[in-house]
Amino acid sequence: MAKKDFSIAVFPGDGIGKEITKQALKVLTFLNGKINIDLRLKEGNVGGAAYDIHGTPLPPESLDLALKSDAVLLGAVGGPKWENLDYAVRPERALLDLRKKLGLFANLRPVAAFEELLHTSTLKAEILRGVNIMIVRELTGDVYFGQPRGVSKKTNGQSIGINTMIYTDEEIRRIAHHAFEIARNRKNNLVSVDKANVLESTELWRDVVTEVGKNYPDVNLSHMYVDNCAMQLIRNPAQFDVILTTNLFGDILSDEAAMLTGSIGMLPSASLGADHSMYEPIHGSAPDIAGQNIANPIGTILSVAMMLRYSMNLPDEAGLVEKAVEQTLKDGLRTKDIYQSGDKLVGTEELGESVVKNLRNLFN
Ligand code: IPM
Ligand code: MG
């Protein structure tokens, strides 16, 4: 039988984006000969790199490529070079527009502590053991997209900056169903995070999540205020299974949670919608270390594993990629961000090659 085609739009973006996606591409290229799917990779330009050429961070041909592909793999966007640009053409805008235009409302950010890295975290190893959290972040609503927004001058000469925190019940219902389904396939434990004691938009969030929860009596639902959640994540992170939260709170809590794994370079993500999907590490473009072959490509490689699981329906192969990463860590290989004395310090390239080598062994 002919192999099914699967097209991937690859957007390396800015800063370390190019180096880390290169390693993920090595993994995809290796897999291409091994799995029952024909991967078609097409590269495009987004972010500051695209702005420099086209004057816009998301040129129409890149958006078109994303819309026509079965999945998107993205590195990172942004950097000091573009920091003074208008919001409408900042590199970050490419990411936000891709999320919105592809309808990627569900952002999954798994946070798993690797046994080998327990001692690289700034937190005590004993509170990290067994941590395995899935953060489900709503990705196309909230203050990120709410209107009105902007900075303007009032008649009395004062400047005001406005952003609008806004959710409709439909947006909340959609992501809540998604999170309950995920909890069902894990430990049936869902914590919904809001600030319902102060913010009306999240009071609605709490009410709708509670309502949706009636359809999932097998899932244990509880609610937590975001300030308390921020504290609980470093006090006792092992208490969490699935965390469901809003766009802004999810952005903040996922950076915090990344520290449970030792480095923000470790965390992958999947952004899913009804018709499209995008995969990217949760970290930024790290311009300070770009081009030095020291960035950690693991978050991007693990994003490929998520692509195999969620977009190609290849959970076994996804597991093998995760195993290959684990083996690389067991072998003592570390990029600078997760290095401790006694480890083998390697560059971005060498780490990527080690994962492919381990993957090859797992396939043989
Ligand atoms: C993330 C990032 C983005 C966000 C930025 C780069 C726009 O921090 O994916 O978490 O705020 O969502
Ligand atoms: Mg973020």
Side-chain angles (χ1 to χ4, degrees), residues 47-72:
Y51 175 82
D52 286 348
I53 301 170
H54 307 278
T56 166
L58 184 61
E61 57 266 35
S62 296
L63 176 62
D64 200 49
L65 177 62
L67 286 166
K68 282 190 185 138
S69 301
D70 294 309
V72 176

Short mmCIF file of all heavy atoms in Angstrom, two decimals, residues 47-72:
data_model
loop_
_atom_site.label_atom_id
_atom_site.label_comp_id
_atom_site.label_asym_id
_atom_site.label_seq_id
_atom_site.Cartn_x
_atom_site.Cartn_y
_atom_site.Cartn_z
N GLY A 47 8.67 35.66 11.73
CA GLY A 47 9.34 36.39 12.81
C GLY A 47 10.18 37.54 12.29
O GLY A 47 9.93 38.09 11.21
N GLY A 48 11.21 37.90 13.06
CA GLY A 48 12.09 39.00 12.68
C GLY A 48 12.78 38.71 11.35
O GLY A 48 12.97 39.60 10.51
N ALA A 49 13.14 37.45 11.14
CA ALA A 49 13.80 37.04 9.89
C ALA A 49 12.92 37.38 8.70
O ALA A 49 13.41 37.84 7.65
CB ALA A 49 14.11 35.54 9.92
N ALA A 50 11.62 37.18 8.85
CA ALA A 50 10.69 37.50 7.76
C ALA A 50 10.49 39.01 7.64
O ALA A 50 10.40 39.55 6.54
CB ALA A 50 9.34 36.81 8.00
N TYR A 51 10.44 39.67 8.79
CA TYR A 51 10.27 41.14 8.77
C TYR A 51 11.40 41.81 8.00
O TYR A 51 11.18 42.72 7.21
CB TYR A 51 10.21 41.69 10.21
CG TYR A 51 10.17 43.20 10.23
CD1 TYR A 51 8.97 43.88 10.04
CD2 TYR A 51 11.34 43.94 10.39
CE1 TYR A 51 8.92 45.26 10.02
CE2 TYR A 51 11.31 45.34 10.37
CZ TYR A 51 10.10 45.99 10.18
OH TYR A 51 10.07 47.35 10.16
N ASP A 52 12.64 41.32 8.23
CA ASP A 52 13.80 41.92 7.57
C ASP A 52 13.71 41.83 6.05
O ASP A 52 14.20 42.70 5.34
CB ASP A 52 15.09 41.23 8.05
CG ASP A 52 15.45 41.67 9.47
OD1 ASP A 52 14.85 42.65 9.96
OD2 ASP A 52 16.31 41.01 10.10
N ILE A 53 13.10 40.78 5.57
CA ILE A 53 13.00 40.60 4.11
C ILE A 53 11.72 41.20 3.55
O ILE A 53 11.72 41.87 2.53
CB ILE A 53 13.06 39.09 3.74
CG1 ILE A 53 14.38 38.49 4.24
CG2 ILE A 53 12.93 38.89 2.23
CD1 ILE A 53 14.44 36.98 4.15
N HIS A 54 10.60 40.93 4.23
CA HIS A 54 9.30 41.28 3.66
C HIS A 54 8.60 42.47 4.32
O HIS A 54 7.52 42.88 3.89
CB HIS A 54 8.35 40.08 3.75
CG HIS A 54 8.90 38.81 3.16
ND1 HIS A 54 8.86 38.55 1.81
CD2 HIS A 54 9.52 37.75 3.72
CE1 HIS A 54 9.42 37.37 1.57
NE2 HIS A 54 9.84 36.87 2.72
N GLY A 55 9.17 42.94 5.45
CA GLY A 55 8.52 44.04 6.17
C GLY A 55 7.31 43.60 6.98
O GLY A 55 6.55 44.41 7.49
N THR A 56 7.13 42.31 7.08
CA THR A 56 6.04 41.76 7.91
C THR A 56 6.53 40.44 8.51
O THR A 56 7.24 39.68 7.86
CB THR A 56 4.74 41.55 7.10
OG1 THR A 56 3.86 40.72 7.87
CG2 THR A 56 4.99 40.87 5.77
N PRO A 57 6.15 40.16 9.80
CA PRO A 57 6.66 38.94 10.44
C PRO A 57 5.97 37.66 9.96
O PRO A 57 6.47 36.57 10.19
CB PRO A 57 6.38 39.17 11.93
CG PRO A 57 5.25 40.15 11.95
CD PRO A 57 5.39 41.01 10.73
N LEU A 58 4.80 37.83 9.32
CA LEU A 58 4.12 36.64 8.78
C LEU A 58 3.69 36.93 7.35
O LEU A 58 2.54 37.32 7.08
CB LEU A 58 2.90 36.27 9.66
CG LEU A 58 2.15 34.99 9.26
CD1 LEU A 58 3.04 33.77 9.34
CD2 LEU A 58 0.91 34.80 10.13
N PRO A 59 4.61 36.77 6.39
CA PRO A 59 4.26 37.03 4.98
C PRO A 59 3.15 36.10 4.52
O PRO A 59 3.05 34.98 5.03
CB PRO A 59 5.56 36.72 4.23
CG PRO A 59 6.61 36.50 5.26
CD PRO A 59 5.96 36.26 6.56
N PRO A 60 2.32 36.57 3.58
CA PRO A 60 1.18 35.75 3.11
C PRO A 60 1.61 34.35 2.68
O PRO A 60 0.89 33.38 2.93
CB PRO A 60 0.64 36.54 1.92
CG PRO A 60 1.14 37.93 2.10
CD PRO A 60 2.38 37.87 2.92
N GLU A 61 2.81 34.24 2.05
CA GLU A 61 3.19 32.89 1.57
C GLU A 61 3.49 31.94 2.74
O GLU A 61 3.28 30.74 2.63
CB GLU A 61 4.37 32.95 0.58
CG GLU A 61 5.64 33.62 1.07
CD GLU A 61 5.71 35.10 0.70
OE1 GLU A 61 4.66 35.77 0.69
OE2 GLU A 61 6.84 35.59 0.46
N SER A 62 3.94 32.50 3.87
CA SER A 62 4.19 31.65 5.04
C SER A 62 2.87 31.20 5.67
O SER A 62 2.71 30.04 6.04
CB SER A 62 5.03 32.38 6.08
OG SER A 62 6.30 32.67 5.55
N LEU A 63 1.94 32.15 5.77
CA LEU A 63 0.62 31.79 6.31
C LEU A 63 -0.04 30.74 5.42
O LEU A 63 -0.61 29.75 5.91
CB LEU A 63 -0.27 33.04 6.40
CG LEU A 63 -1.71 32.79 6.86
CD1 LEU A 63 -1.74 32.20 8.27
CD2 LEU A 63 -2.54 34.08 6.83
N ASP A 64 0.10 30.94 4.12
CA ASP A 64 -0.47 30.01 3.17
C ASP A 64 0.13 28.61 3.33
O ASP A 64 -0.58 27.60 3.33
CB ASP A 64 -0.17 30.55 1.76
CG ASP A 64 -1.10 29.97 0.74
OD1 ASP A 64 -2.32 30.00 1.00
OD2 ASP A 64 -0.60 29.47 -0.29
N LEU A 65 1.46 28.58 3.49
CA LEU A 65 2.15 27.30 3.68
C LEU A 65 1.63 26.61 4.95
O LEU A 65 1.37 25.40 4.95
CB LEU A 65 3.67 27.56 3.80
CG LEU A 65 4.57 26.37 4.09
CD1 LEU A 65 4.49 25.33 2.98
CD2 LEU A 65 6.02 26.83 4.27
N ALA A 66 1.46 27.40 6.02
CA ALA A 66 0.96 26.83 7.29
C ALA A 66 -0.45 26.27 7.12
O ALA A 66 -0.76 25.18 7.57
CB ALA A 66 0.97 27.89 8.38
N LEU A 67 -1.30 27.05 6.41
CA LEU A 67 -2.70 26.63 6.24
C LEU A 67 -2.80 25.36 5.39
O LEU A 67 -3.69 24.54 5.61
CB LEU A 67 -3.50 27.76 5.57
CG LEU A 67 -3.84 28.96 6.47
CD1 LEU A 67 -4.33 30.14 5.62
CD2 LEU A 67 -4.89 28.60 7.52
N LYS A 68 -1.86 25.20 4.46
CA LYS A 68 -1.93 24.05 3.55
C LYS A 68 -1.25 22.81 4.11
O LYS A 68 -1.40 21.71 3.57
CB LYS A 68 -1.26 24.41 2.22
CG LYS A 68 -2.14 25.28 1.34
CD LYS A 68 -1.53 25.40 -0.04
CE LYS A 68 -2.33 26.35 -0.90
NZ LYS A 68 -1.45 27.23 -1.69
N SER A 69 -0.46 22.97 5.18
CA SER A 69 0.30 21.84 5.71
C SER A 69 -0.51 21.06 6.73
O SER A 69 -1.47 21.56 7.30
CB SER A 69 1.58 22.35 6.37
OG SER A 69 2.37 23.05 5.43
N ASP A 70 -0.09 19.83 6.98
CA ASP A 70 -0.77 19.01 7.98
C ASP A 70 -0.34 19.41 9.39
O ASP A 70 -1.07 19.18 10.35
CB ASP A 70 -0.48 17.53 7.73
CG ASP A 70 -1.08 17.06 6.42
OD1 ASP A 70 -2.28 17.32 6.22
OD2 ASP A 70 -0.36 16.48 5.59
N ALA A 71 0.86 19.97 9.52
CA ALA A 71 1.33 20.44 10.83
C ALA A 71 2.42 21.47 10.63
O ALA A 71 3.05 21.53 9.57
CB ALA A 71 1.87 19.27 11.65
N VAL A 72 2.63 22.29 11.65
CA VAL A 72 3.69 23.30 11.61
C VAL A 72 4.70 22.99 12.71
O VAL A 72 4.31 22.63 13.83
CB VAL A 72 3.10 24.72 11.86
CG1 VAL A 72 4.22 25.77 11.93
CG2 VAL A 72 2.10 25.09 10.77
#
